[in-house]
């Protein structure tokens, strides 16, 4: 709904009757929402009347001077009101339509003589035999003028809105939409569009204010609900965002973007199965929507459906081959089911499309870590950090690579930086603890692992690593308790079974240790360390033939296993 035209009536006090009749003529236009008349009788007690009149003159769209002898005799009218009116008229800001009340020589006035006046032909109201006919003439004339002015204003506002949509710079968009709002404050569209531009600049609170204004103007306008939801989504207000997307979809059941964004919000709340339904609905409406495939892939990834996620990323890439995020996400999914080289290829494509893609460098480095290509991994993490010096994950992962090279001091420095950037980063505390343990700093290692467990009480690797550190300090009972926790959290944790077996060995619980080594071997049949340790335990229990078999198995899986070879040689010499 457009804002009514503001009508300013200038009149002499003696012409109050004419002013009241003019208001009656305007009433039908006012009831249609086309005009909003104002005159000095509307000044409230206590208002500064001169200041109020000047202010209203500056915002009027149409000025109606009631022309009479008394009008020309008014000092204030000619000193203030008409002066201000013609200044704005000369700048092309306002329309002036004289309303002739008395049969006075108004055409002899230089500033009025060329105006088209009302009633028809400029015939004064007091010269009409039937006053109602005069007022009807005024109404008909004003109706045509107002409708033309409204159409012009609407076209001007629409042109500004169209220019805003074509503009790529959000700052310039904001200026354009602000101008449209100034011209038509009752139009919801420029508020909605200005909010979107503000959102692009990360000004989410300011954007929400604009969307709320658009909604207050037109509560049935679906777009500002969707856009307000998007601003809340970017601000981490996921549940509130979902409520806005719900409302947008109720108003427009075919609103693809709202379904997609509602799915994204649900993904962020780990409601991945519900999110899939939204992405599926979006694809029913728009089967070639790359964003819907991309985000459906994210939901499937979160549900550990990695191969299905890859299929969705494939579709997204076919539709939009230049989207680096799709390649990145496909690489992430492939790395999770062991297709490391293909994952590296995808990260490389993402980086080629976006050389400033810090996350792609970091995740490519992560795959290289898995492949024990630590030097290459360090280069990727270093590049990620160069792009984003506050990237805690990249510091953590580079620390892992340094540790893989045995460079524990460098690793600890990176983990220090990671926890400084992100004080609640449990994985970085765990990794720093492991690195400290590997460099013989067992007490410091335990302190880090305590912190990791405090942050994440279900962190199996932290319990396992703390158990190892306690084992080195010969705190075998406490170590076994930590391995118990690691196994409780993850019953498939091969390392925890093995380490618990070692701790039981060190505390003389040989039969129980064998059970743990058996379980480790069941889960990982080619685990050379577990075969070797089980052999050593069996040897301690006086079962040399069984021990020999385990040492031989360890060497068959790892011919370079020095301890298994030593144990086998010692057994043979005995």
């Amino acid at each position: 709904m457009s804002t009514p035209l503001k009508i300013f009536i200038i009149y002499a006090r003696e012409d109050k009757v004419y002013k009241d009749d003019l208001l009656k003529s305007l009433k039908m236009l006012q009831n249609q929402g086309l005009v909003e008349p104002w005159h000095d009788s509307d000044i409230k007690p206590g208002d500064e009347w001169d200041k109020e009149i000047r202010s209203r003159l500056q915002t009027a769209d149409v000025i109606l001077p009631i022309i009479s002898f008394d009008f020309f005799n008014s000092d204030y009218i000619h000193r203030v009101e008409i002066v201000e009116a013609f200044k704005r008229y000369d700048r092309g800001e306002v329309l002036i339509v004289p309303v002739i009340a008395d049969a006075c020589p108004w055409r002899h006035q230089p500033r009025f003589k060329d105006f088209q006046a009302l009633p028809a032909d400029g015939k004064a109201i007091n010269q009409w035999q039937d006053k109602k006919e005069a007022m009807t003439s005024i109404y008909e004339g004003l109706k045509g003028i107002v409708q033309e002015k409204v159409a012009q204003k609407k076209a001007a506002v629409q042109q500004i809105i169209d220019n805003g949509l074509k503009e790529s710079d959000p700052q310039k968009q904001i200026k354009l939409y602000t101008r449209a709002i100034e011209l038509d404050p009752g139009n919801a569209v420029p508020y909605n569009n200005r909010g979107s531009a503000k959102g692009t600049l990360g000004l989410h609170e300011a954007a929400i204010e604009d969307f709320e204004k658009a909604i207050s103007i037109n509560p049935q306008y679906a777009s500002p609900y969707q856009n307000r939801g998007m601003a809340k989504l970017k601000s981490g207000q996921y549940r509130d965002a979902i409520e806005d997307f719900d409302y947008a979809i109720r108003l427009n059941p075919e609103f693809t973007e709202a379904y997609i964004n509602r799915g994204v919000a649900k993904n962020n709340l780990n409601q991945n199965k519900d999110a899939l339904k939204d992405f599926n609905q979006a694809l029913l409406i728009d089967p070639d929507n790359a964003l819907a495939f991309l985000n459906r892939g994210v939901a499937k990834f979160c549900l550990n459906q990695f191969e299905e996620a890859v299929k969705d990323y494939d579709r997204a890439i076919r539709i939009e081959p230049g989207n680096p995020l799709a390649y990145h996400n496909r690489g992430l999914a492939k790395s999770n089911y062991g297709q490391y080289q293909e994952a590296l290829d995808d990260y490389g494509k993402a980086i080629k499309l976006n050389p400033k893609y810090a996350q792609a460098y970091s995740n490519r480095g992560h795959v290289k870590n898995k492949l024990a290509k630590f030097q290459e991994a360090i280069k990727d993490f270093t590049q990620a950090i160069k792009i984003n010096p506050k990237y805690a994950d990249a510091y953590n992962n580079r620390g892992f690579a340094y540790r893989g090279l045995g460079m524990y001091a460098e690793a600890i420095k990176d983990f220090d930086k990671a926890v400084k950037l992100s004080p609640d980063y449990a994985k970085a505390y765990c990794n720093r603890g492991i690195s400290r343990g590997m460099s013989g700093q067992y007490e410091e290692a335990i302190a880090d692992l305590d912190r990791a467990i405090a942050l994440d009480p279900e962190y199996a690797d932290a319990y396992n690593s703390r158990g190892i550190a306690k084992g080195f300090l010969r705190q075998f009972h406490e170590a076994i308790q930590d391995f118990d926790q690691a196994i409780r959290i993850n019953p498939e944790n091969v390392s925890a079974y093995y380490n618990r077996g070692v701790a039981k060995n060190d505390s003389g619980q040989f039969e129980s240790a064998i059970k743990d080594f058996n379980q480790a071997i069941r889960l990982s049949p080619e685990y050379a360390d577990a075969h070797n340790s089980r052999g050593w335990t069996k040897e301690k229990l006086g079962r040399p033939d069984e021990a020999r078999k385990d040492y031989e198995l360890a060497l068959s899986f790892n011919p370079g296993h020095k301890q298994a070879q030593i144990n086998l040689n010692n057994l043979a010499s005995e």
Side-chain angles (χ1 to χ4, degrees):
M1 182 178 177
S2 295
T3 305
L5 292 179
K6 294 178 180 178
I7 306 289
F8 187 100
I9 300 172
I10 301 177
Y11 71 103
R13 295 290 180 186
E14 295 82 358
D15 293 328
K16 181 179 181 302
V17 172
Y18 290 117
K19 181 262 293 180
D20 291 341
D21 288 338
L22 179 57
L23 288 172
K24 291 176 185 177
S25 295
L26 291 168
K27 191 64 178 178
M28 289 179 65
L29 296 174
Q30 188 177 359
N31 289 342
Q32 296 171 51
L34 295 174
V35 299
E36 183 182 285
W38 189 89
H39 49 91
D40 62 10
S41 298
D42 289 336
I43 297 176
K44 298 180 180 65
D47 287 349
E48 297 181 41
W49 66 273
D50 180 70
K51 184 177 180 181
E52 181 70 8
I53 286 171
R54 291 175 185 271
S55 173
R56 294 282 181 169
L57 274 166
Q58 293 305 314
T59 59
D61 297 299
V62 180
I63 295 175
L64 302 181
I66 298 177
I67 306 297
S68 68
F69 283 107
D70 293 312
F71 174 88
F72 290 115
N73 286 332
S74 170
D75 176 66
Y76 186 78
I77 287 174
H78 287 278
R79 183 169 51 82
V80 176
E81 292 177 301
I82 283 299
V83 171
E84 294 299 321
F86 277 113
K87 281 182 182 177
R88 292 196 63 219
Y89 176 79
D90 291 340
R91 294 196 298 264
E93 297 174 355
V94 71
L95 183 65
I96 296 177
V97 182
V99 176
I100 312 303
D102 285 350
C104 60
W106 64 275
R107 284 192 171 91
H108 294 274
Q109 300 298 317
R111 292 310 308 259
F112 284 104
K113 64 186 178 82
D114 295 325
F115 280 98
Q116 186 69 35
L118 295 174
D121 301 323
K123 182 179 177 181
I125 295 171
N126 67 358
Q127 289 184 324
W128 289 66
Q129 289 185 353
D130 187 341
K131 185 178 179 181
K132 290 183 178 178
E133 289 186 9
M135 302 318 295
T136 298
S137 175
I138 291 171
Y139 165 77
E140 293 293 345
L142 287 176
K143 179 183 176 183
I145 290 168
V146 165
Q147 288 178 335
E148 182 180 357
K149 185 75 174 174
V150 167
Q152 290 173 350
K153 187 175 182 180
K154 185 177 179 181
V157 170
Q158 188 58 52
Q159 183 61 56
I160 293 170
I161 291 171
D162 291 343
N163 290 342
L165 293 172
K166 293 173 186 175
E167 178 58 61
S168 58
D169 182 345
Q171 293 281 13
K172 292 179 180 178
Q173 286 180 320
I174 289 169
K175 289 181 181 178
L176 286 166
Y177 295 131
T178 299
R179 176 61 182 146
I181 289 165
E182 289 168 352
L183 288 173
D184 191 0
N187 189 333
V189 174
Y191 281 105
N192 177 61
N193 293 3
R194 187 174 71 175
S196 295
K198 289 176 179 178
T200 302
L201 293 172
L203 304 171
H204 301 307
E205 289 186 13
I208 287 171
E209 289 179 9
D210 273 343
F211 298 135
E212 288 176 350
K213 182 64 177 177
I215 290 166
S216 71
I217 294 169
N218 183 2
Q220 301 304 307
Y221 184 14
S223 187
Y225 289 101
Q226 135 66 29
N227 290 335
R228 186 173 69 179
M230 194 65 188
K232 290 176 180 177
L233 175 64
K234 290 179 178 178
S235 301
Q237 303 171 48
Y238 304 124
R239 296 186 191 281
D240 289 344
I242 287 170
E243 288 183 10
D244 275 338
F245 298 136
D246 288 345
Y247 207 92
I249 289 165
R250 280 200 296 274
L251 291 170
N252 178 8
E254 301 293 303
F255 205 156
T256 308
E257 192 176 356
Y259 283 108
I260 293 172
N261 289 328
R262 187 171 71 178
V264 171
K266 290 175 179 177
N267 268 346
N268 279 283
L269 291 170
N270 295 319
Q271 299 172 8
N272 308 114
K273 290 182 179 179
D274 282 344
L276 282 177
K277 294 176 185 176
D278 278 333
F279 300 132
N280 289 339
Q281 184 61 35
L283 288 166
L284 282 176
I285 299 166
D286 181 4
D288 291 320
N289 192 303
L291 193 60
F293 280 112
L294 181 62
N295 284 297
R296 191 172 72 174
V298 172
K300 290 177 178 178
F301 179 90
C302 293
L303 292 167
N304 295 324
Q305 300 173 13
F306 303 123
E307 294 187 49
E308 289 299 312
V310 167
K311 291 177 184 177
D312 274 340
Y313 297 138
D314 287 344
R315 291 289 299 274
I317 289 166
R318 281 201 294 274
I319 297 165
E320 288 185 7
N323 188 341
L325 180 60
Y327 287 103
H328 169 270
N329 287 3
R330 189 171 70 177
L332 198 60
K334 287 177 177 177
S335 71
N336 271 273
Y337 65 94
Q339 294 188 357
Y340 297 128
Q341 187 54 54
E342 290 188 26
L344 291 174
D345 292 342
D346 274 337
Y347 291 134
K349 289 173 184 174
I351 290 165
K352 185 176 180 180
L353 289 166
N354 178 10
K356 298 293 183 182
Y357 200 162
Q359 193 174 3
Y361 280 107
S362 184
N363 283 327
R364 185 171 72 176
H366 186 62
V367 172
K368 290 175 180 177
N369 271 348
K370 289 183 177 181
L371 295 171
K373 297 179 178 181
F374 299 121
Q375 294 283 10
E376 291 183 32
I378 287 168
K379 291 178 183 178
D380 275 337
F381 297 131
T382 300
Q383 184 62 27
I385 290 165
K386 183 178 178 182
I387 296 166
N388 179 7
K390 295 184 178 180
Y391 195 173
D393 278 347
Y395 282 105
N396 176 68
N397 291 336
R398 189 173 70 177
F400 184 95
Y402 279 126
R403 190 174 74 210
L405 293 171
M407 301 167 68
Y408 302 125
E410 289 81 356
I412 289 169
K413 286 180 184 177
D414 271 344
F415 298 133
D416 287 345
K417 186 69 175 179
V419 298
K420 184 177 180 181
L421 289 168
S422 182
D424 294 332
Y425 195 173
K427 186 178 285 188
Y429 284 106
C430 181
N431 281 329
R432 188 170 69 180
I434 293 169
S435 297
R436 284 176 166 167
M438 294 177 81
S439 57
Q441 303 171 44
Y442 303 120
E443 296 287 355
E444 293 88 343
I446 289 170
D448 272 338
L449 295 162
D450 286 345
R451 177 65 176 151
I453 290 166
L455 290 167
D456 182 0
E458 297 296 297
Y459 196 169
D461 286 348
Y463 283 107
N464 184 51
S465 298
R466 189 172 69 176
I468 293 170
K470 289 177 179 177
F472 277 107
L473 293 173
R474 305 195 65 76
Q475 299 171 9
F476 301 124
H477 178 70
E478 292 84 352
I480 289 169
Q481 288 180 328
D482 274 341
F483 299 133
D484 288 344
Q485 286 290 346
I487 290 165
R488 176 190 63 79
I489 295 164
N490 178 12
E492 305 293 304
N493 192 323
V494 177
S495 179
Y497 284 109
Y498 170 75
N499 289 326
R500 188 170 70 177
V502 171
K504 288 176 179 177
N505 258 351
D506 289 336
S507 58
Q509 303 175 50
F510 300 127
E511 290 291 353
S512 185
I514 287 175
K515 291 179 181 177
D516 277 335
F517 296 136
N518 288 344
Q519 185 65 8
I521 290 165
R522 183 187 69 80
L523 292 168
S524 180
E526 297 185 5
Y527 192 176
D529 283 346
H531 284 286
N532 175 64
S533 293
R534 187 173 69 178
W536 184 90
T537 309
K538 289 176 178 177
E539 190 176 345
K540 286 290 181 182
L541 290 170
R543 293 149 59 178
D545 291 341
E546 293 180 35
R548 182 180 295 105
K549 289 180 181 178
D550 271 331
Y551 295 145
E552 289 172 349
L553 280 169
L555 288 166
S556 71
F557 298 131
N558 180 5
H561 200 299
K562 291 181 181 179
Q563 191 59 52
Q565 188 63 61
I566 291 168
N567 290 340
L568 186 60
N569 292 342
N570 289 341
L571 187 63
S573 66
E574 292 173 4

